[in-house]
């Protein structure tokens, strides 16, 4: 999902490298029916963006999942949730 | 709520798009994600360095 988010941000002229976008993920592995599987993935995105770009960044964050190949592959099988923190920097 | 069997912890760093690095748990060596082949053509992109896509990794995981 980070790659797709990067693309959505870059399309809005928000650079994502170097060291401007990262994510921490936690995947919950459990065996609700006796066989281990991933039941939930929780992501926390950390973004550093230029001052004045917050609304565009938040727009990208609100729509990127529908264009993410992995999120769409896992849809209906694994619950994926995400949140984010945005730091605005003077460039 | 019962304690899960395992929490898989991963950290992702965005490198020069479209490339990313994934560090899993306490393992030192990252996995690299990028694009190549049909995925590269789909995105009409020409990365300096090609890497397997995240979709390749899903397939590899299913096969592994």
């Amino acid at each position: 999902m980070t790659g797709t988010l990067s693309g959505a941000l870059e399309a809005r002229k928000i650079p994502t490298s170097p060291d401007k976008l990262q994510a921490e993920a936690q995947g919950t592995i459990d065996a609700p029916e006796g066989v281990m599987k991933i039941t939930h993935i929780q992501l926390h995105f950390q973004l550093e963006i230029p001052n004045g770009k917050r609304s565009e960044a938040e727009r990208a964050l609100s729509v990127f999942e529908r264009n993410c190949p992995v999120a769409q592959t896992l849809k209906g099988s694994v619950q994926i949730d995400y949140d984010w923190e945005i730091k605005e920097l003077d460039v | 709520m019962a304690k899960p069997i395992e929490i898989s912890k991963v950290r992702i760093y965005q490198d020069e798009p479209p490339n990313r690095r994934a560090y899993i748990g306490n393992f030192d060596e990252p996995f690299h994600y990028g694009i190549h082949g049909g995925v590269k053509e789909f995105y009409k992109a020409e990365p300096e360095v090609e890497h397997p896509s995240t979709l390749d990794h899903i397939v590899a995981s299913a096969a592994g």
Side-chain angles (χ1 to χ4, degrees):
Chain A
M1 293 176 75
T2 302
T4 304
L5 177 57
S6 168
L9 292 165
E10 295 270 351
R12 291 166 171 82
K13 305 284 187 281
I14 300 171
T16 58
S17 72
D19 305 323
K20 292 180 171 64
L21 171 60
Q22 56 184 267
E24 287 176 16
Q26 292 202 338
T28 302
I29 297 166
D30 222 333
E33 289 140 16
V35 178
M36 277 196 299
K37 65 178 186 180
I38 300 163
T39 57
H40 182 226
I41 296 171
Q42 179 72 45
L43 287 126
H44 178 69
F45 292 108
Q46 294 164 296
L47 292 79
E48 289 186 357
I49 65 171
N51 251 326
K53 287 282 196 175
R54 179 177 289 269
S55 64
E56 287 168 88
E58 287 179 339
R59 173 68 184 153
L61 283 155
S62 71
V63 300
F64 81 100
E65 185 182 2
R66 70 183 68 151
N67 293 315
C68 175
V70 169
Q72 293 308 307
T73 298
L74 298 178
K75 194 174 178 178
S77 301
V78 180
Q79 183 188 338
I80 301 175
D81 294 304
Y82 52 92
D83 56 25
W84 58 82
E85 60 185 283
I86 296 174
K87 268 190 207 166
E88 287 187 78
L89 302 175
D90 291 319
V91 182
Chain B
M1 195 168 191
K3 186 171 171 280
I5 292 167
E6 165 73 348
I7 298 288
S8 171
K9 294 183 179 175
V10 181
R11 194 157 187 88
I12 310 287
Y13 296 89
Q14 180 68 50
D15 292 327
E16 180 69 26
N19 296 328
R20 293 87 81 202
R21 270 171 297 136
Y23 292 88
I24 299 175
N26 293 323
F27 294 96
D28 291 334
E29 286 300 311
F31 289 90
H32 292 272
Y33 302 135
I35 55 174
H36 71 106
V39 173
K40 184 178 80 170
E41 289 168 24
F42 180 86
Y43 287 122
K44 298 181 175 60
E46 201 54 61
E48 281 183 30
V49 182
E50 293 187 2
H51 290 294
S53 71
T54 47
L55 295 173
D56 290 321
H57 281 266
I58 290 177
V59 175
S61 296

